[in-house]
Amino acid sequence: CCFRARGRSVRSASLAMAARQPALGSAKYGCSAALQSDGTVKASAQFQDDGSCCSCNCCVPDELRARTFAHAYDNRMVRNYPIAPFGCCTSQICIQDMVSTFFFDKPPFRSGPCSPPCCCIPAVCCGPPVIFSYKPMCCCVDLSGVCGMQVKFAPANYFGCRSFCCLGPPCYNHCSIPLLNGLKDADSFVSQLAVQHAQYTAQHGIPEGEAAIFEFVESNILLPGVELGGHRAAPRQLAMSQHVPSAPRA
């Protein structure tokens, strides 16, 4: 009787403990307001034509081109730069997708945190991050028809400072990294990104000083070490700023 009563008490305690614990399927995953989207592609990047000498067409299978994309949504940018390990001899099953997703409330579309121990503070001391189209030039000759344009990211705009005081490309160009390569018209894609990003930041209340800005950059290399160029804001972003209310500052 003692053993039976003890068994019943242990069973009752186990049932009571299980009742207090949440069910495995009750946790709400993927329901963050920052991730919600209508799932519609708002803009797609156009990649350089096959005539480009920098695209290594003889080594690129058609299936790799068909799987290469960059899409802008209302809350993120998604890109895929697949890899063909055996060049033009790579079969479809061997192509490896390299998909990356960049949400608008995280870098590179928003300032990242400072270094520890201040990692809970946004790193905005040098200005907001920059997403910009980049057009390569040499001796005033536009090279984008040969090697394509880029979409690049810089962690800050350094308050608009230029490489040679009032001349040269913006300083942030020297510490930028490419997000997209080989585009036919990077300006158009950046403009569409600016529109979606402006709507997203206004809707979700991202502080204006932390949100990325969008610009067009031209870099004209005259001689080794001598570089001219300029930058301007994406016109779509300027139009949106007149209609979309700015987010509250931090």
Side-chain angles (χ1 to χ4, degrees):
C1 290
C2 262
F3 287 112
R4 231 178 258 155
R6 184 177 299 173
R8 278 196 295 270
S9 64
V10 170
R11 209 174 302 120
S12 300
S14 299
L15 291 174
M17 186 178 298
R20 287 196 298 269
Q21 293 177 347
L24 291 178
S26 65
K28 296 181 179 179
Y29 294 98
C31 62
S32 171
L35 306 185
Q36 303 310 306
S37 169
D38 60 11
T40 304
V41 176
K42 307 299 183 181
S44 296
Q46 299 297 317
F47 289 86
Q48 187 63 274
D49 293 332
D50 292 343
S52 168
C53 67
C54 294
S55 58
C56 301
N57 295 300
C58 60
C59 301
V60 178
D62 291 337
E63 180 64 21
L64 185 140
R65 293 193 190 93
R67 301 181 74 92
T68 302
F69 66 84
H71 296 323
Y73 294 83
D74 58 349
N75 70 336
R76 66 193 184 277
M77 185 189 79
V78 182
R79 72 179 184 191
N80 185 27
Y81 277 101
I83 296 175
F86 307 111
C88 58
C89 299
T90 306
S91 61
Q92 192 272 345
I93 196 173
C94 295
I95 292 178
Q96 300 295 315
D97 287 317
M98 302 291 289
V99 181
S100 303
T101 301
F102 306 94
F103 287 99
F104 289 163
D105 67 329
K106 298 291 182 182
F109 292 97
R110 185 179 182 179
S111 295
C114 294
S115 302
C118 302
C119 51
C120 60
I121 302 174
V124 294
C125 56
C126 294
V130 189
I131 305 292
F132 63 98
S133 63
Y134 178 77
K135 179 186 291 186
M137 300 180 68
C138 183
C139 298
C140 301
V141 177
D142 185 359
L143 300 180
S144 60
V146 178
C147 296
M149 300 177 66
Q150 292 179 308
V151 174
K152 304 177 78 174
F153 155 72
N157 74 334
Y158 302 104
F159 307 108
C161 292
R162 304 182 71 168
S163 300
F164 306 105
C165 296
C166 59
L167 297 176
C171 290
Y172 60 72
N173 183 43
H174 301 292
C175 62
S176 61
I177 58 174
L179 293 175
L180 301 174
N181 293 308
L183 299 189
K184 183 188 298 184
D185 187 2
D187 291 352
S188 176
F189 188 67
V190 167
S191 296
Q192 294 292 336
L193 271 177
V195 171
Q196 300 304 321
H197 185 264
Q199 294 174 345
Y200 180 90
T201 53
Q203 180 182 356
H204 293 274
I206 295 177
E208 185 179 351
E210 299 177 20
I213 60 176
F214 295 80
E215 295 187 343
F216 305 148
V217 174
E218 294 180 353
S219 179
N220 187 15
I221 299 177
L222 299 180
L223 295 171
V226 179
E227 184 178 7
L228 301 178
H231 68 287
R232 53 194 171 90
R236 283 294 191 90
Q237 188 181 19
L238 292 177
M240 284 299 300
S241 65
Q242 299 174 2
H243 302 285
V244 179
S246 58
R249 293 183 177 272

